Amino acid sequence: MPLIRRKKPNEPSKTSASDSKTPSEEEEDSNNKEHQKKPISGRAQEKPGSKPKWSCIDSCCWFVGCICIAWWVLLFLYNAMPAYVPQYVTEAITGPLPDPPGVKLKKEGLKVKHPVVFVPGIVTAGLELWEGHQCADGLFRKRLWGGTFGEVYKRPLCWVEHMSLHNETGLDPPGIRVRPVSGLVAADYFAPGYFVWAVLMANLARIGYEEKTMYMASYDWRLSFQNTEVRDQTLSRMKTNIELMVATNGGNKAVIIPHSMGVLYFLHFMKWVEEPAPMGGGGGPDWCAKHIKAVMNIGGPFLGVPKAVAGLFSAEARDIAVARAIAPGFLENDIFSLQTLQHVMRMSRTWDSTMSMIPRGGDTIWGGLDWAPEEGYIPSTRRQRNNDTNNGCQDGIENEVSQRESVKYGRIISFGKDVAEAHSSDIERIEFRDAVKGRSVANNTCRDVWTEYHEMGYGGIKAVAEYKLYTAGSILDLLHFVAPKMMERGSAHFSYGIADNLDDPKYKHYKYWSNPLETRLPNAPEMEIFSMYGVGIPTERAYVYKLSPAAECYIPFQIDTSADGEDEDSCLKDGVYTVDGDETVPVLSAGFMCAKAWRGKTRFNPSGSRTYIREYYHSPPANLLEGRGTQSGAHVDIMGNFALIEDLMRVAAGATGEELGGDQVYSDIFKWSKKINLSL
């Protein structure tokens, strides 16, 4: 049995392999030990027992990645299922599904007749890169907007740089060319699985439509409307394509279907095409009468949207404000060197098109400090068709209104809930227009996230808050005060007033062409104008604001999400007052022109083109397998509404507005329009 010798405590160990190392190996070991002592990944060395410092990379980026992976997995599984599975489950829950409009109308014998032109709205059409800086290598003709949005999280600062326009010209920055995607694929889907025009196209195809009878008038929705012609000749291309489609389809006039901001863009086009070159298209005063059967506007912000004000003022709307309240400071944090809201504001404030949706018509349309057309509005879940053009109030509403204090919707921005509710005579206000802005708030490190707030001092910020109330009439002055460079560009391309005399030569300038209150409809008495939009969804109308906590790089104003109404059915929630609409465009903006200003022969519609209002009451999907539903009235989801698609297809196949049934109204649009004192 071998003996085992135990080492004594003070006895040195015998020579091991490490003792025979060369000097160079010993030096390498020494360097490795020194390296292990250094902090990893550039982090500060933490004390024993101390909590690790919060890091976005450790705490939230994995969460974002998990959400993206889960989305793609679910989308893959959904697409991998046989087509009959979701339909079978849905029918088991809700009963047999109705035939899609294309199938139904094909059974009725409807066929392709009038060529159809789609005009997409803001953000729904794809944009691709044609020239960029070094950080965008490998992205030639790849989508920067739309599709998978892969470049947003791969190289966010580079993406923001390429999606921004020149801050002075409103055109391309040096060395960057981003252009609209062409063809029907430009806006069929916004992202994989998220349709915009695809459902309508598929149903039109069932009755014989194809690419030669459908045209997507895609354009760079970031640009001002006239600049799309200056840079890309988009208006000329639209004119040429409409003429070609009419000529090759037996002379049948085109049916135009604009959506969202595309409604304003096509309104601009109708005036541009009549005017002589070089400012206009040179088509002459009868071009629209010769080439257009109907303009079927979907979710049109004819008179602007208050949501645009919140976006330009503080780079937020209700959803973003709520997200910021849930996770305070998150959107202001430096995420991958990207101060999120600041960069969103920096980018969006270079998009001149956003200024096309600032509310138009001032206090005459939107109301003043103590009145608004929608005063007395009460949210209701009751669906009741109401086509009475003389009195739009629902049964029992007037008695209920008398027992409640009316919301002052005319105050689009109020600093404080108490200010929003008080009578104007009880509010002390300090004029802000001539206030001294004072020294700059931001230091030099903020110049990379340029917003004009960084050129504004504490004195200017305080002056804005002390004025307390802003109506549609003073919103323009507010934006000129906080963002003078942005509004200087915008004022060259858009106007927001009401014309006293439409014969004034100044209204021949293109800045007035997208404002329906400062221009006339074309001389086309047989052309029909439709206003088609969703109702039954709370839609942003006015905001309660507060000053933001000061920070090195920050936006000084934010929606006060702590401001809520007193009861459950209040119109005030999370600092936002809501009215009836499609979640983006209030009924007043979408319906007023066709309900009153264009109805019959008026100074805005001298040829008496017939106008119709078609409202679609929102009904959410019954289950997740229905996707976004077939009866939705939401601003984008309405593009899959079967009733809307059927109306569009019937007109494309030759029907008139009267044959559709005339007006279809569920809201109080006629009642509210009657309250507006506008000379016709």
Side-chain angles (χ1 to χ4, degrees), residues 355-551:
M355 288 177 277
S356 71
M357 292 183 288
I358 295 173
R360 293 179 160 96
D363 295 358
T364 300
I365 300 294
W366 295 93
L369 292 177
D370 294 312
W371 84 278
E374 305 102 321
E375 60 186 355
Y377 165 72
I378 293 177
S380 174
T381 58
R382 292 176 296 172
R383 174 175 176 173
Q384 179 179 346
R385 184 161 172 170
N386 176 20
N387 288 353
D388 187 351
T389 61
N390 294 317
N391 188 356
C393 63
Q394 298 175 357
D395 296 338
I397 291 292
E398 293 295 345
N399 292 332
E400 195 172 354
V401 170
S402 64
Q403 299 174 13
R404 297 176 47 140
E405 186 175 353
S406 180
V407 175
K408 298 172 176 59
Y409 288 113
R411 306 175 182 185
I412 295 180
I413 288 179
S414 305
F415 277 89
K417 179 184 174 184
D418 55 338
V419 172
E421 296 175 345
H423 192 275
S424 60
S425 60
D426 299 328
I427 301 172
E428 294 183 6
R429 305 164 73 195
I430 300 176
E431 181 58 55
F432 74 95
R433 293 172 178 85
D434 297 323
V436 177
K437 293 186 178 181
R439 66 181 182 84
S440 176
V441 170
N443 61 29
N444 291 332
T445 64
C446 296
R447 300 301 177 182
D448 291 337
V449 280
W450 179 92
T451 69
E452 293 191 63
Y453 284 128
H454 300 154
E455 300 173 6
M456 186 175 177
Y458 293 110
I461 294 170
K462 182 180 178 183
V464 168
E466 289 181 343
Y467 193 67
K468 298 181 180 178
L469 295 173
Y470 296 87
T471 66
S474 54
I475 282 293
L476 291 175
D477 292 333
L478 171 65
L479 294 176
H480 274 286
F481 186 79
V482 301
K485 294 178 181 178
M486 176 191 75
M487 291 302 292
E488 183 180 0
R489 288 196 329 270
S491 298
H493 290 276
F494 303 106
S495 181
Y496 311 97
I498 300 174
D500 293 324
N501 178 16
L502 286 167
D503 292 323
D504 191 325
K506 76 175 185 178
Y507 292 113
K508 291 186 176 294
H509 192 275
Y510 58 77
K511 67 182 287 185
Y512 302 101
W513 293 349
S514 60
N515 182 357
L517 300 174
E518 293 182 302
T519 190
R520 295 187 179 103
L521 286 177
N523 182 25
E526 296 182 0
M527 182 178 72
E528 295 181 320
I529 307 288
F530 293 81
S531 187
M532 316 171 83
Y533 53 89
V535 295
I537 309 178
T539 302
E540 296 173 39
R541 177 64 166 83
Y543 304 89
V544 177
Y545 267 85
K546 66 179 182 180
L547 288 175
S548 303

Side-chain angles (χ1 to χ4, degrees), residues 127-143:
L127 300 174
E128 60 188 17
L129 183 70
W130 281 79
E131 180 185 3
H133 294 162
Q134 185 175 359
C135 67
D137 285 349
L139 297 181
F140 176 68
R141 293 208 65 195
K142 298 288 181 64
R143 289 200 183 195

